[in-house]
């Protein structure tokens, strides 16, 4: 069984795009998304509009994965139309290139390094560090990782985290974050003026809430799942090891795989981010080592197990929940 550099080298033949496929998948996804947004405004039964709204939210996730591949330099490079399209889409989905690429590239280079895991991902503390915090700092840490924060990713992660906060910190560096924030408010205003509260809810709030909550949970569960491994000592870190031990394979059916653009094959994506999203299943099938990945899914039981995880326990070398954490704290003070 290959590991380390040998496993990385085995993926190189798949790190080549088919430019025709890239454009077909990009444009077809974009046209479907536009059609669904128009469906939220067409004059037919409210149930039809709601279905269009929900599906638009899910198709945003797929288009985001395509955008994410573009920013990795994986597809459609050196294309002026693609650059314009992706820049506009990044602003539209509240993930402008300046902040997304900066944080996401850092995340790929430092995945599973415990003391830098919070950049481009969710913060992770050791049991010892968490128990040494004051009550307010504990609350802040748990609040960031709380299910309600993930569900409200539209406000917490994207409108604030990707747009407003970066722009306020460095307006010059993250001007596109400010543009995205103002542009989104303008989009919401136009929707309201053209169709009232119904259009605001179905054309803006519902699809973006679904897309952002789905994206926020995927970000979370890809690196916060039972069996995940983190490195306290960066000397023990390796790129291939982090990809296989700290990135999940999220098992999904074919419909959901389409909606998320195969991002569930996250362990493969982390080992080689230059593999186009549409080739990830091919890699999984042809390289058996990837079939041994640590798994999770979108089943309610698996989602609950992932959301329960709070801190990294250096004694047991595992992520633990509040019950175990409270038990450790009680023993410490007994």
């Amino acid at each position: 069984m290959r590991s380390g550099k040998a496993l990385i080298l085995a993926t190189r033949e798949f790190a080549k795009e088919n430019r025709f496929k890239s454009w077909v998948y990009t444009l077809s996804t974009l046209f479907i998304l536009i059609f669904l947004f128009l469906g939220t405004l067409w004059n037919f039964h409210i149930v039809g509009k709601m279905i269009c709204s929900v599906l638009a939210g899910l198709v945003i996730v797929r288009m985001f994965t395509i955008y994410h591949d573009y920013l990795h330099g994986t597809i459609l490079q050196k294309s002026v139309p693609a650059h314009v399209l992706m820049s506009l889409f990044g602003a539209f989905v509240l993930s402008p290139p300046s902040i997304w690429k900066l944080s996401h590239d850092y995340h790929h280079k430092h995945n599973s390094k415990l003391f830098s895991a919070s950049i481009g991902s969710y913060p992770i503390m050791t049991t010892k560090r968490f128990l040494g915090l004051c009550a307010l700092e504990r609350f802040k840490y748990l609040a960031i990782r709380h299910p309600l924060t993930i569900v409200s990713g539209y406000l917490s992660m994207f409108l604030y985290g990707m747009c407003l906060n970066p722009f306020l910190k460095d307006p010059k560096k993250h001007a596109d974050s400010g543009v995205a924030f103002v542009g989104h408010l303008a989009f919401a205003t136009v929707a309201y003026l053209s169709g009232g509260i119904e259009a605001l809810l179905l054309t803006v709030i519902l699809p973006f809430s679904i897309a952002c909550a789905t994206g926020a949970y995927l970000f979370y569960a890809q690196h916060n799942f039972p069996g995940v491994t983190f490195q306290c000592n960066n000397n023990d870190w390796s790129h291939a090891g982090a990809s296989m031990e700290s990135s999940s394979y999220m098992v999904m059916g074919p419909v959901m795989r389409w909606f998320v653009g195969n991002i569930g094959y996250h362990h493969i994506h982390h080992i080689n981010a230059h593999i186009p999203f549409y080739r990830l299943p091919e890699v999984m099938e042809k390289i058996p080592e990837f079939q041994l990945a640590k798994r999770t899914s979108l089943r309610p039981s698996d989602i609950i197990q992932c959301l329960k995880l709070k801190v990294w326990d250096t004694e047991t070398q595992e992520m633990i929940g509040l019950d175990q954490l409270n038990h450790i704290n009680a023993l410490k003070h007994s």
Side-chain angles (χ1 to χ4, degrees):
M1 300 298 286
R2 290 163 292 188
S3 62
K5 187 176 181 180
L7 188 55
I8 296 173
L9 290 174
T11 67
R12 284 193 173 178
E13 65 174 290
F14 302 96
K16 299 172 184 176
E17 77 162 324
N18 178 318
R19 182 59 65 101
F20 177 75
K21 276 189 176 181
S22 296
W23 272 117
V24 167
Y25 290 137
T26 299
L27 293 178
S28 62
T29 302
L30 183 62
F31 290 148
I32 291 169
L33 184 58
I34 291 171
F35 174 81
L36 289 169
F37 270 114
L38 290 174
T40 67
L41 296 170
W42 283 340
N43 187 26
F44 57 80
H45 199 279
I46 185 65
V47 173
K49 293 183 179 183
M50 290 181 68
I51 291 172
C52 287
S53 184
V54 170
L55 290 176
L58 293 172
V59 176
I60 286 174
V61 178
R62 176 177 172 84
M63 191 65 199
F64 185 92
T65 300
I66 295 171
Y67 167 69
H68 151 271
D69 262 23
Y70 173 78
L71 289 188
H72 270 301
T74 304
I75 62 172
L76 303 177
Q77 296 303 291
K78 298 180 180 179
S79 167
V80 174
H83 175 72
V84 173
L85 173 63
M86 295 302 177
S87 297
L88 291 172
F89 181 77
F92 178 70
V93 292
L94 306 171
S95 298
S98 70
I99 186 63
W100 170 257
K101 184 167 176 57
L102 179 70
S103 61
H104 195 65
D105 285 353
Y106 184 94
H107 164 66
H108 268 258
K109 291 177 183 177
H110 299 276
N111 172 37
S112 94
K113 293 180 182 178
L114 190 64
F115 297 111
S116 58
S118 62
I119 299 176
S121 189
Y122 288 82
I124 298 169
M125 290 186 181
T126 62
T127 304
K128 181 179 179 181
R129 185 182 174 196
F130 179 82
L131 293 176
L133 295 175
C134 67
L136 179 59
E137 291 301 317
R138 288 187 191 183
F139 174 81
K140 288 179 180 178
Y141 172 78
L142 293 175
I144 293 172
R145 297 175 58 87
H146 197 278
L148 288 177
T149 304
I150 295 172
V151 170
S152 63
Y154 176 28
L155 297 176
S156 62
M157 177 179 284
F158 290 90
L159 265 176
Y160 176 75
M162 290 283 185
C163 296
L164 186 59
N165 189 47
F167 177 72
L168 293 177
K169 284 185 175 179
D170 194 336
K172 186 177 292 187
K173 185 177 181 180
H174 298 299
D176 55 355
S177 291
V179 170
F181 184 81
V182 173
H184 191 75
L185 294 183
F187 175 52
T189 301
V190 170
Y192 177 74
L193 293 176
S194 61
I197 191 67
E198 181 183 286
L200 177 63
L201 289 172
L202 297 182
T203 308
V204 183
I205 296 177
L206 182 58
F208 276 89
S209 294
I210 290 171
C212 294
T214 302
Y217 179 72
L218 290 173
F219 292 152
Y220 177 87
Q222 284 160 353
H223 303 288
N224 290 267
F225 56 92
V228 68
T229 300
F230 291 97
Q231 295 293 339
C232 295
N233 183 351
N234 289 346
N235 292 328
D236 298 328
W237 184 88
S238 71
H239 177 77
S243 300
M244 293 300 292
E245 298 298 321
S246 305
S247 306
S248 67
Y249 165 45
M250 189 173 287
V251 182
M252 303 178 191
V255 174
M256 202 62 200
R257 284 200 301 270
W258 187 90
F259 279 125
V260 304
N262 293 323
I263 202 62
Y265 298 95
H266 207 62
H267 58 307
I268 302 174
H269 169 66
H270 259 273
I271 209 162
N272 191 338
H274 292 291
I275 300 172
F277 72 95
Y278 48 82
R279 300 199 70 180
L280 294 174
E282 180 186 358
V283 180
M284 185 77 163
E285 179 183 351
K286 293 183 177 179
I287 302 181
E289 288 85 348
F290 288 123
Q291 298 166 21
L292 303 175
K294 297 176 179 179
R295 300 181 177 214
T296 184
S297 76
L298 292 175
R299 291 195 300 263
S301 58
D302 281 349
I303 291 174
I304 290 169
Q305 289 302 312
C306 290
L307 292 175
K308 281 183 176 180
L309 303 176
K310 300 301 178 185
V311 298
W312 175 255
D313 186 52
T314 54
E315 297 295 324
T316 60
Q317 291 290 290
E318 63 179 354
M319 288 290 286
I320 62 173
L322 286 178
D323 289 344
Q324 294 159 287
L325 188 60
N326 291 334
H327 179 67
I328 292 171
N329 195 30
L331 290 176
K332 179 181 177 182
H333 292 92
S334 60

